[in-house]
Amino acid sequence: MTLSVWRYSHLVLAVSSSIFILLAAVTGSVLALEPISNRIQPYTTGDLDQITVAEFTHTLQQKYAEVISVEIDKNSWVTASVITKDGADKIIYIDPKTGDSLGTPKETSPVFKFATTLHRSLFLKGIGRFFVGLSSLLLCLISISGIFLILKKQGGVKGFFKPIVKESFNPYYHTVFGKWLLIPILIVTLTGVYLSLEQFSIIPSAKIVHQEDTLFAEEPVIPVSEFKVFKNIKLSEVRKIEYPFAPFPESYFLVQLTNKEYLINQFNGDIVSQVNYPFYVILTYYSTLFHTGQGSIVWSIVLLLASIGILFFMYSGFSITLKRRKSRIKNKYKKDNCDYVILIGSENGNTFYFANALYSELLRLGKKAYLAELNSYKSYKNMQHLVVMTSTYGTGEAPTNAKKFKALLNTHQQGAKFNYSVVGFGSLAYPDYCKFAYDVDTMLQAHPNNNRLADVFTINNQSLESFNQWLLAWSKQENLNISLPKAIGSKKKRKTYAFTVTKHTKAENNPDDTFCIYLKPVEKVKFTSGDLLSILGEKDQRERLYSIGKWNKNELVISVKRHQKGSVSNRLQNLAVGNKISCGIVKNKAFHLPKKAKEALLIATGTGIGPYLGMIRQNTAHKKLHLYWGGRTAASFELYKNQLETQQQAGNLTSLHLALSREQAQKIYVQNLLAANGKEVAQLIKSKGYILICGSIGMQKEVTKVLDTICKNHLKKPLSYYQNKGYILMDCY
Ligand SMILES: Cc1cc2nc3c(=O)[nH]c(=O)nc-3n(C[C@H](O)[C@H](O)[C@H](O)COP(=O)(O)O)c2cc1C
């Protein structure tokens, strides 16, 4: 499959450094725990910024016979080297407020020691350090290429901050966690690179030279607690204090802060010399802090999450790649010998799955078929049937392996006349639904020698059911005896549950052959309105999906149109109350009425009303729900009439708008009603109301067109603006 430059770099960098990054991430996770475990030790004193050096030195003077030095580390532990009043030399942790001993320094735990050495040098000294530094750099580059991939995926800088559409687990969380952990990972890798450069002396080590005052004043003698400079320095700024080694004026206090150090006269507290540290010394200090998380539990936790995140990125990244690798094309016949050509446009490999299934089915029927990516479009000498199967990516753009198709189409000519069909794979969660498939169709229409078999067929969320519908229609047009390829039919095995029929209506009582069936799971099963009920055909084992309306706590309703030869719809209709049927539940979060919704338009035609029957019935909170329903006649509506009127009286349904197309001379559809109520619709959208659309793709197209016009006219923004914000939910087929 064609890869974009950024994806290629992301992948190559990741593969080449994977072992080192794996070690760094595992040891990094362990080491991130060290500052956390340190912080809970009794030596940690949190109020160093409340104590001045003047108070602190005074306390120590009272407490000990002599103080040699004091160090404050990044955990805020204060270690003092002292001589006690009974003459013992001690190195102890002390409480900076009282000067009391808190214990003696202990060796670092062997686990942390081991992890530190592995993390820093892989136990290989210089060469190990080199590889660790290099992998830090590579991880930094991987993160940068990742930023570009997210920008590309989300359609630009603005899109970076927009929510990611959830398609499947690994790509979704790879991107979501990538966004969250980007900054910590960049910080940890950049500081890692910096610290490595320092270890290799590429960053110069600081030489601190004091220009001492030659006047060694001994007077006036001021107590340390009164030293002006000491009063102005908080203990939290101090890294080290070395006490004067003898009571002579040329022996000073050396006070090291994070950004400078002082020599202080021990008698009068004058600053004898001050040296500001060079920038790189300060940078080293902060790089260590940021890289190790020492001194901050919150940052240590962020580092821990980043390290675990890196492990997840490795897993999810490689599994995404493996899935894409399955998209490799293996052709049995040469391109010019084939009369069937299947061209694929795919970004993440899903479309290949369907294309491969069609290809193998054609071979099974003894046809000569050829598979190719849209980017490798050529002339095909014997082509008589062309099928283009393509996804859409970014914001209505071509997937990477189809970007060159437009140019290639003009370059390569086909000899004979050919039939063509375009199948668009997309997601209704995006404003530009299957746009590239429509673009390809337009390009092909302009191409000479073609015979367009049908309109673009769109498939939402890789629906097997829709694919099968297309396959059946196409094989009929092409005179082929195709059945749903086995590979596809068995793609997903759902968990099924037994449901008992509690009630149903008769299809013959409805002019459109539509009925409602009410089902209760035998065991407790979780579902809500908007989820889907999956039922397999007994013969073909093909999955049919019906939108669920949650009727009662443990009961659902589906609205079904009976098809003359439809095995599942007839089976459902023929079930008697008390009979059992095995069904799966498909969670469809994208079509749940959001809890926070205060007002919503529920738009449907025909059996698309199914989920709304439940949403309205469950609306005991009396959110403002407005139902727009389209059907043929008043008799078509009889099926739902009583129920909806009852709900309206109960206050669960605010308004009901019926578009009964055949009840008057001029046809009226839901989109016409919406257009007529444009102002109210715009007001609802403006006040953060939700719009739900359920029904056929044809209706969805017309409705979104009208909604787009309403938004542009009344709100000066396109519908896509609200769709991107998640206010437009669709479940169309
Ligand atoms: C980042 C991203 C952007 C997408 N943009 C669109 C879009 O604009 N229109 C659309 O119909 N589908 C869009 N989709 C959905 C895909 O086209 C759909 O999931 C398709 O089945 C993916 O097939 P593929 O893996 O072969 O590329 C997008 C998916 C992703 C992950």
Side-chain angles (χ1 to χ4, degrees), residues 458-502:
T458 54
I459 294 183
N460 182 27
N461 283 344
Q462 295 141 33
S463 155
L464 289 180
E465 199 184 4
S466 304
F467 179 69
N468 198 42
Q469 263 177 32
W470 170 79
L471 197 63
L472 293 178
W474 179 77
S475 54
K476 221 181 221 174
Q477 285 168 317
E478 292 282 19
N479 239 342
L480 291 167
N481 188 16
I482 266 185
S483 55
L484 184 72
K486 277 207 185 77
I488 278 218
S490 60
K491 188 184 175 189
K492 283 176 196 159
K493 287 252 179 295
R494 284 192 204 288
K495 189 171 179 202
T496 54
Y497 310 88
F499 281 73
T500 314
V501 179
T502 53

Tab-separated table of all heavy atoms in Angstrom, residues 458-502:
chain	number	residue	atom	x	y	z
A	458	THR	N	-22.870	3.926	-1.426
A	458	THR	CA	-22.062	4.297	-0.254
A	458	THR	C	-22.238	3.288	0.870
A	458	THR	O	-23.325	2.750	1.077
A	458	THR	CB	-22.466	5.687	0.258
A	458	THR	OG1	-23.868	5.696	0.487
A	458	THR	CG2	-22.094	6.759	-0.716
A	459	ILE	N	-21.154	3.069	1.590
A	459	ILE	CA	-21.172	2.108	2.699
A	459	ILE	C	-20.668	2.798	3.962
A	459	ILE	O	-19.536	3.287	4.003
A	459	ILE	CB	-20.309	0.882	2.353
A	459	ILE	CG1	-20.976	0.149	1.189
A	459	ILE	CG2	-20.119	-0.037	3.562
A	459	ILE	CD1	-20.323	-1.107	0.749
A	460	ASN	N	-21.550	2.854	4.931
A	460	ASN	CA	-21.221	3.533	6.177
A	460	ASN	C	-20.543	2.556	7.136
A	460	ASN	O	-21.024	1.440	7.327
A	460	ASN	CB	-22.528	4.071	6.794
A	460	ASN	CG	-22.279	4.827	8.067
A	460	ASN	OD1	-21.199	5.389	8.282
A	460	ASN	ND2	-23.269	4.858	8.937
A	461	ASN	N	-19.439	2.997	7.716
A	461	ASN	CA	-18.757	2.212	8.768
A	461	ASN	C	-18.519	0.762	8.397
A	461	ASN	O	-18.749	-0.140	9.207
A	461	ASN	CB	-19.567	2.252	10.075
A	461	ASN	CG	-19.383	3.563	10.771
A	461	ASN	OD1	-18.453	4.297	10.451
A	461	ASN	ND2	-20.267	3.875	11.695
A	462	GLN	N	-18.116	0.541	7.166
A	462	GLN	CA	-17.772	-0.801	6.686
A	462	GLN	C	-18.886	-1.821	6.952
A	462	GLN	O	-18.624	-2.957	7.363
A	462	GLN	CB	-16.476	-1.261	7.354
A	462	GLN	CG	-15.289	-0.423	6.953
A	462	GLN	CD	-14.353	-0.156	8.086
A	462	GLN	OE1	-14.205	-0.993	8.949
A	462	GLN	NE2	-13.716	1.004	8.093
A	463	SER	N	-20.122	-1.369	6.740
A	463	SER	CA	-21.262	-2.257	7.019
A	463	SER	C	-21.299	-3.426	6.032
A	463	SER	O	-21.386	-3.254	4.815
A	463	SER	CB	-22.555	-1.445	6.924
A	463	SER	OG	-23.628	-2.280	6.609
A	464	LEU	N	-21.250	-4.629	6.615
A	464	LEU	CA	-21.297	-5.840	5.778
A	464	LEU	C	-22.630	-5.938	5.064
A	464	LEU	O	-22.724	-6.378	3.925
A	464	LEU	CB	-21.152	-7.075	6.669
A	464	LEU	CG	-19.797	-7.311	7.281
A	464	LEU	CD1	-19.831	-8.564	8.112
A	464	LEU	CD2	-18.766	-7.462	6.181
A	465	GLU	N	-23.662	-5.490	5.793
A	465	GLU	CA	-25.000	-5.573	5.242
A	465	GLU	C	-25.089	-4.730	3.965
A	465	GLU	O	-25.575	-5.185	2.935
A	465	GLU	CB	-25.994	-5.080	6.291
A	465	GLU	CG	-27.390	-5.529	6.005
A	465	GLU	CD	-28.386	-4.952	7.008
A	465	GLU	OE1	-27.985	-4.158	7.864
A	465	GLU	OE2	-29.563	-5.291	6.888
A	466	SER	N	-24.577	-3.488	4.055
A	466	SER	CA	-24.624	-2.620	2.875
A	466	SER	C	-23.771	-3.191	1.746
A	466	SER	O	-24.149	-3.146	0.581
A	466	SER	CB	-24.102	-1.232	3.207
A	466	SER	OG	-24.816	-0.705	4.262
A	467	PHE	N	-22.596	-3.729	2.120
A	467	PHE	CA	-21.720	-4.273	1.091
A	467	PHE	C	-22.428	-5.394	0.342
A	467	PHE	O	-22.371	-5.498	-0.880
A	467	PHE	CB	-20.415	-4.772	1.706
A	467	PHE	CG	-19.483	-5.364	0.689
A	467	PHE	CD1	-18.875	-4.554	-0.260
A	467	PHE	CD2	-19.229	-6.724	0.654
A	467	PHE	CE1	-18.028	-5.097	-1.225
A	467	PHE	CE2	-18.387	-7.270	-0.308
A	467	PHE	CZ	-17.788	-6.447	-1.249
A	468	ASN	N	-23.112	-6.208	1.112
A	468	ASN	CA	-23.819	-7.317	0.499
A	468	ASN	C	-24.929	-6.824	-0.425
A	468	ASN	O	-25.144	-7.370	-1.506
A	468	ASN	CB	-24.375	-8.223	1.590
A	468	ASN	CG	-24.731	-9.578	1.018
A	468	ASN	OD1	-23.981	-10.117	0.219
A	468	ASN	ND2	-25.876	-10.088	1.388
A	469	GLN	N	-25.604	-5.751	0.019
A	469	GLN	CA	-26.665	-5.163	-0.821
A	469	GLN	C	-26.082	-4.733	-2.163
A	469	GLN	O	-26.632	-4.995	-3.213
A	469	GLN	CB	-27.199	-3.903	-0.146
A	469	GLN	CG	-28.451	-4.107	0.651
A	469	GLN	CD	-28.824	-2.791	1.321
A	469	GLN	OE1	-28.570	-1.710	0.789
A	469	GLN	NE2	-29.413	-2.901	2.491
A	470	TRP	N	-24.928	-4.059	-2.073
A	470	TRP	CA	-24.295	-3.603	-3.319
A	470	TRP	C	-23.909	-4.796	-4.182
A	470	TRP	O	-24.159	-4.825	-5.386
A	470	TRP	CB	-23.048	-2.752	-3.023
A	470	TRP	CG	-22.284	-2.513	-4.287
A	470	TRP	CD1	-22.580	-1.593	-5.251
A	470	TRP	CD2	-21.172	-3.273	-4.770
A	470	TRP	NE1	-21.712	-1.722	-6.314
A	470	TRP	CE2	-20.841	-2.752	-6.042
A	470	TRP	CE3	-20.435	-4.345	-4.265
A	470	TRP	CZ2	-19.786	-3.246	-6.798
A	470	TRP	CZ3	-19.387	-4.850	-5.028
A	470	TRP	CH2	-19.072	-4.305	-6.287
A	471	LEU	N	-23.308	-5.795	-3.511
A	471	LEU	CA	-22.805	-6.960	-4.230
A	471	LEU	C	-23.934	-7.643	-5.007
A	471	LEU	O	-23.773	-8.022	-6.169
A	471	LEU	CB	-22.204	-7.933	-3.205
A	471	LEU	CG	-21.291	-9.007	-3.734
A	471	LEU	CD1	-20.070	-8.385	-4.369
A	471	LEU	CD2	-20.867	-9.939	-2.610
A	472	LEU	N	-25.100	-7.765	-4.330
A	472	LEU	CA	-26.228	-8.433	-4.981
A	472	LEU	C	-26.705	-7.627	-6.182
A	472	LEU	O	-26.934	-8.172	-7.268
A	472	LEU	CB	-27.375	-8.635	-3.987
A	472	LEU	CG	-27.075	-9.618	-2.852
A	472	LEU	CD1	-28.259	-9.713	-1.908
A	472	LEU	CD2	-26.740	-11.005	-3.412
A	473	ALA	N	-26.806	-6.298	-5.998
A	473	ALA	CA	-27.277	-5.449	-7.090
A	473	ALA	C	-26.282	-5.479	-8.250
A	473	ALA	O	-26.664	-5.608	-9.424
A	473	ALA	CB	-27.461	-4.018	-6.582
A	474	TRP	N	-25.023	-5.402	-7.916
A	474	TRP	CA	-23.984	-5.362	-8.963
A	474	TRP	C	-23.930	-6.677	-9.721
A	474	TRP	O	-23.848	-6.711	-10.947
A	474	TRP	CB	-22.626	-5.043	-8.304
A	474	TRP	CG	-21.488	-4.997	-9.272
A	474	TRP	CD1	-21.194	-3.986	-10.133
A	474	TRP	CD2	-20.494	-6.013	-9.481
A	474	TRP	NE1	-20.079	-4.295	-10.860
A	474	TRP	CE2	-19.624	-5.540	-10.481
A	474	TRP	CE3	-20.251	-7.263	-8.931
A	474	TRP	CZ2	-18.526	-6.264	-10.940
A	474	TRP	CZ3	-19.161	-8.002	-9.383
A	474	TRP	CH2	-18.322	-7.501	-10.375
A	475	SER	N	-23.985	-7.792	-8.973
A	475	SER	CA	-23.864	-9.091	-9.656
A	475	SER	C	-25.057	-9.308	-10.583
A	475	SER	O	-24.928	-9.942	-11.632
A	475	SER	CB	-23.719	-10.229	-8.656
A	475	SER	OG	-24.768	-10.194	-7.735
A	476	LYS	N	-26.215	-8.744	-10.196
A	476	LYS	CA	-27.385	-8.853	-11.060
A	476	LYS	C	-27.124	-8.109	-12.374
A	476	LYS	O	-27.326	-8.648	-13.468
A	476	LYS	CB	-28.580	-8.219	-10.355
A	476	LYS	CG	-29.870	-9.000	-10.507
A	476	LYS	CD	-30.957	-8.260	-9.788
A	476	LYS	CE	-31.873	-9.176	-9.042
A	476	LYS	NZ	-32.828	-8.410	-8.252
A	477	GLN	N	-26.602	-6.868	-12.220
A	477	GLN	CA	-26.323	-6.071	-13.426
A	477	GLN	C	-25.262	-6.724	-14.297
A	477	GLN	O	-25.294	-6.638	-15.514
A	477	GLN	CB	-25.827	-4.679	-13.021
A	477	GLN	CG	-26.949	-3.792	-12.521
A	477	GLN	CD	-26.392	-2.552	-11.859
A	477	GLN	OE1	-25.435	-2.617	-11.097
A	477	GLN	NE2	-26.994	-1.424	-12.147
A	478	GLU	N	-24.291	-7.372	-13.640
A	478	GLU	CA	-23.177	-7.964	-14.388
A	478	GLU	C	-23.447	-9.428	-14.747
A	478	GLU	O	-22.545	-10.118	-15.219
A	478	GLU	CB	-21.884	-7.874	-13.556
A	478	GLU	CG	-21.374	-6.452	-13.377
A	478	GLU	CD	-20.665	-5.935	-14.611
A	478	GLU	OE1	-20.873	-6.495	-15.695
A	478	GLU	OE2	-19.909	-4.947	-14.487
A	479	ASN	N	-24.661	-9.880	-14.406
A	479	ASN	CA	-25.035	-11.262	-14.708
A	479	ASN	C	-24.122	-12.293	-14.073
A	479	ASN	O	-23.658	-13.234	-14.713
A	479	ASN	CB	-25.007	-11.465	-16.231
A	479	ASN	CG	-26.355	-11.903	-16.691
A	479	ASN	OD1	-27.152	-12.364	-15.871
A	479	ASN	ND2	-26.613	-11.749	-17.981
A	480	LEU	N	-23.829	-12.104	-12.857
A	480	LEU	CA	-22.937	-13.033	-12.164
A	480	LEU	C	-23.708	-13.686	-11.034
A	480	LEU	O	-24.560	-13.048	-10.417
A	480	LEU	CB	-21.747	-12.276	-11.554
A	480	LEU	CG	-20.747	-11.687	-12.519
A	480	LEU	CD1	-19.831	-10.716	-11.798
A	480	LEU	CD2	-19.925	-12.794	-13.160
A	481	ASN	N	-23.347	-14.908	-10.745
A	481	ASN	CA	-24.043	-15.596	-9.663
A	481	ASN	C	-23.199	-15.504	-8.392
A	481	ASN	O	-22.670	-16.475	-7.882
A	481	ASN	CB	-24.283	-17.055	-10.074
A	481	ASN	CG	-25.170	-17.732	-9.067
A	481	ASN	OD1	-25.819	-17.055	-8.278
A	481	ASN	ND2	-25.160	-19.061	-9.090
A	482	ILE	N	-23.071	-14.293	-7.898
A	482	ILE	CA	-22.167	-14.060	-6.764
A	482	ILE	C	-22.908	-14.224	-5.460
A	482	ILE	O	-24.081	-13.878	-5.350
A	482	ILE	CB	-21.569	-12.631	-6.887
A	482	ILE	CG1	-20.240	-12.707	-7.606
A	482	ILE	CG2	-21.428	-11.958	-5.546
A	482	ILE	CD1	-19.507	-11.426	-7.697
A	483	SER	N	-22.216	-14.753	-4.456
A	483	SER	CA	-22.801	-14.750	-3.109
A	483	SER	C	-21.811	-14.039	-2.196
A	483	SER	O	-20.647	-13.858	-2.560
A	483	SER	CB	-23.049	-16.162	-2.628
A	483	SER	OG	-21.843	-16.880	-2.718
A	484	LEU	N	-22.287	-13.667	-1.031
A	484	LEU	CA	-21.389	-12.935	-0.124
A	484	LEU	C	-20.173	-13.806	0.157
A	484	LEU	O	-20.303	-14.937	0.609
A	484	LEU	CB	-22.109	-12.622	1.188
A	484	LEU	CG	-21.283	-11.776	2.152
A	484	LEU	CD1	-21.179	-10.346	1.651
A	484	LEU	CD2	-21.903	-11.787	3.535
A	485	PRO	N	-18.985	-13.297	-0.148
A	485	PRO	CA	-17.790	-14.113	0.058
A	485	PRO	C	-17.715	-14.623	1.496
A	485	PRO	O	-18.011	-13.879	2.424
A	485	PRO	CB	-16.653	-13.142	-0.233
A	485	PRO	CG	-17.268	-12.105	-1.094
A	485	PRO	CD	-18.692	-11.999	-0.698
A	486	LYS	N	-17.326	-15.902	1.621
A	486	LYS	CA	-17.290	-16.525	2.958
A	486	LYS	C	-16.417	-15.732	3.900
A	486	LYS	O	-16.760	-15.506	5.058
A	486	LYS	CB	-16.755	-17.948	2.833
A	486	LYS	CG	-17.825	-18.913	2.440
A	486	LYS	CD	-17.492	-20.318	2.953
A	486	LYS	CE	-18.517	-21.307	2.454
A	486	LYS	NZ	-18.345	-21.706	1.050
A	487	ALA	N	-15.279	-15.292	3.393
A	487	ALA	CA	-14.322	-14.566	4.235
A	487	ALA	C	-14.998	-13.385	4.906
A	487	ALA	O	-14.746	-13.065	6.056
A	487	ALA	CB	-13.165	-14.067	3.393
A	488	ILE	N	-15.895	-12.737	4.172
A	488	ILE	CA	-16.546	-11.549	4.708
A	488	ILE	C	-17.682	-11.935	5.638
A	488	ILE	O	-17.830	-11.370	6.711
A	488	ILE	CB	-17.058	-10.678	3.547
A	488	ILE	CG1	-15.878	-9.865	3.065
A	488	ILE	CG2	-18.211	-9.814	3.952
A	488	ILE	CD1	-16.188	-8.494	2.663
A	489	GLY	N	-18.456	-12.920	5.223
A	489	GLY	CA	-19.583	-13.327	6.040
A	489	GLY	C	-19.166	-13.715	7.447
A	489	GLY	O	-19.872	-13.464	8.410
A	490	SER	N	-17.963	-14.298	7.552
A	490	SER	CA	-17.555	-14.769	8.870
A	490	SER	C	-16.621	-13.778	9.555
A	490	SER	O	-15.911	-14.124	10.472
A	490	SER	CB	-16.838	-16.102	8.712
A	490	SER	OG	-15.713	-15.898	7.884
A	491	LYS	N	-16.631	-12.526	9.069
A	491	LYS	CA	-15.688	-11.545	9.626
A	491	LYS	C	-15.862	-11.388	11.144
A	491	LYS	O	-14.928	-11.459	11.906
A	491	LYS	CB	-15.886	-10.206	8.930
A	491	LYS	CG	-14.827	-9.184	9.308
A	491	LYS	CD	-15.126	-7.872	8.664
A	491	LYS	CE	-14.140	-6.807	9.136
A	491	LYS	NZ	-14.523	-5.479	8.700
A	492	LYS	N	-17.103	-11.172	11.550
A	492	LYS	CA	-17.327	-10.934	12.976
A	492	LYS	C	-18.340	-11.923	13.513
A	492	LYS	O	-19.428	-12.051	12.970
A	492	LYS	CB	-17.886	-9.522	13.165
A	492	LYS	CG	-16.842	-8.452	13.045
A	492	LYS	CD	-17.503	-7.097	13.145
A	492	LYS	CE	-16.565	-6.022	12.636
A	492	LYS	NZ	-17.274	-4.815	12.260
A	493	LYS	N	-17.963	-12.625	14.537
A	493	LYS	CA	-18.930	-13.508	15.191
A	493	LYS	C	-19.389	-12.790	16.444
A	493	LYS	O	-18.612	-12.523	17.348
A	493	LYS	CB	-18.265	-14.839	15.576
A	493	LYS	CG	-17.998	-15.738	14.394
A	493	LYS	CD	-18.976	-16.937	14.415
A	493	LYS	CE	-18.784	-17.871	13.244
A	493	LYS	NZ	-19.070	-17.317	11.950
A	494	ARG	N	-20.652	-12.424	16.459
A	494	ARG	CA	-21.150	-11.680	17.614
A	494	ARG	C	-21.664	-12.631	18.670
A	494	ARG	O	-22.163	-13.705	18.356
A	494	ARG	CB	-22.309	-10.796	17.199
A	494	ARG	CG	-21.875	-9.606	16.476
A	494	ARG	CD	-22.988	-8.619	16.343
A	494	ARG	NE	-22.724	-7.785	15.190
A	494	ARG	CZ	-21.783	-6.875	15.153
A	494	ARG	NH1	-21.035	-6.657	16.198
A	494	ARG	NH2	-21.578	-6.152	14.058
A	495	LYS	N	-21.613	-12.119	19.911
A	495	LYS	CA	-22.226	-12.868	20.991
A	495	LYS	C	-23.736	-12.731	20.822
A	495	LYS	O	-24.221	-11.633	20.521
A	495	LYS	CB	-21.780	-12.263	22.317
A	495	LYS	CG	-22.174	-13.070	23.488
A	495	LYS	CD	-21.534	-12.577	24.753
A	495	LYS	CE	-22.046	-13.477	25.850
A	495	LYS	NZ	-21.966	-12.928	27.143
A	496	THR	N	-24.449	-13.840	20.954
A	496	THR	CA	-25.893	-13.725	20.790
A	496	THR	C	-26.614	-14.076	22.084
A	496	THR	O	-26.070	-14.771	22.953
A	496	THR	CB	-26.409	-14.629	19.659
A	496	THR	OG1	-25.956	-15.941	19.925
A	496	THR	CG2	-25.935	-14.174	18.300
A	497	TYR	N	-27.825	-13.568	22.193
A	497	TYR	CA	-28.648	-13.795	23.381
A	497	TYR	C	-30.033	-14.246	22.905
A	497	TYR	O	-30.482	-13.835	21.837
A	497	TYR	CB	-28.831	-12.494	24.175
A	497	TYR	CG	-27.536	-11.778	24.454
A	497	TYR	CD1	-27.025	-10.843	23.530
A	497	TYR	CD2	-26.820	-12.019	25.622
A	497	TYR	CE1	-25.833	-10.197	23.773
A	497	TYR	CE2	-25.631	-11.359	25.870
A	497	TYR	CZ	-25.142	-10.450	24.946
A	497	TYR	OH	-23.956	-9.804	25.189
A	498	ALA	N	-30.704	-15.021	23.756
A	498	ALA	CA	-32.069	-15.424	23.407
A	498	ALA	C	-33.034	-14.316	23.812
A	498	ALA	O	-32.916	-13.753	24.908
A	498	ALA	CB	-32.412	-16.703	24.145
A	499	PHE	N	-33.928	-13.971	22.889
A	499	PHE	CA	-34.960	-12.968	23.170
A	499	PHE	C	-36.327	-13.631	22.997
A	499	PHE	O	-36.513	-14.454	22.094
A	499	PHE	CB	-34.872	-11.789	22.181
A	499	PHE	CG	-33.784	-10.800	22.518
A	499	PHE	CD1	-32.454	-11.107	22.322
A	499	PHE	CD2	-34.105	-9.541	23.022
A	499	PHE	CE1	-31.455	-10.201	22.616
A	499	PHE	CE2	-33.114	-8.625	23.316
A	499	PHE	CZ	-31.782	-8.952	23.129
A	500	THR	N	-37.274	-13.223	23.841
A	500	THR	CA	-38.639	-13.748	23.715
A	500	THR	C	-39.516	-12.658	23.104
A	500	THR	O	-39.384	-11.483	23.461
A	500	THR	CB	-39.208	-14.096	25.113
A	500	THR	OG1	-38.210	-14.819	25.813
A	500	THR	CG2	-40.482	-14.910	25.027
A	501	VAL	N	-40.388	-13.065	22.197
A	501	VAL	CA	-41.315	-12.093	21.599
A	501	VAL	C	-42.406	-11.780	22.625
A	501	VAL	O	-43.048	-12.687	23.153
A	501	VAL	CB	-41.955	-12.674	20.321
A	501	VAL	CG1	-42.933	-11.679	19.712
A	501	VAL	CG2	-40.888	-13.066	19.327
A	502	THR	N	-42.600	-10.492	22.907
A	502	THR	CA	-43.635	-10.135	23.883
A	502	THR	C	-44.890	-9.596	23.178
A	502	THR	O	-45.976	-9.624	23.743
A	502	THR	CB	-43.124	-9.082	24.873
A	502	THR	OG1	-42.612	-7.985	24.125
A	502	THR	CG2	-42.040	-9.634	25.777
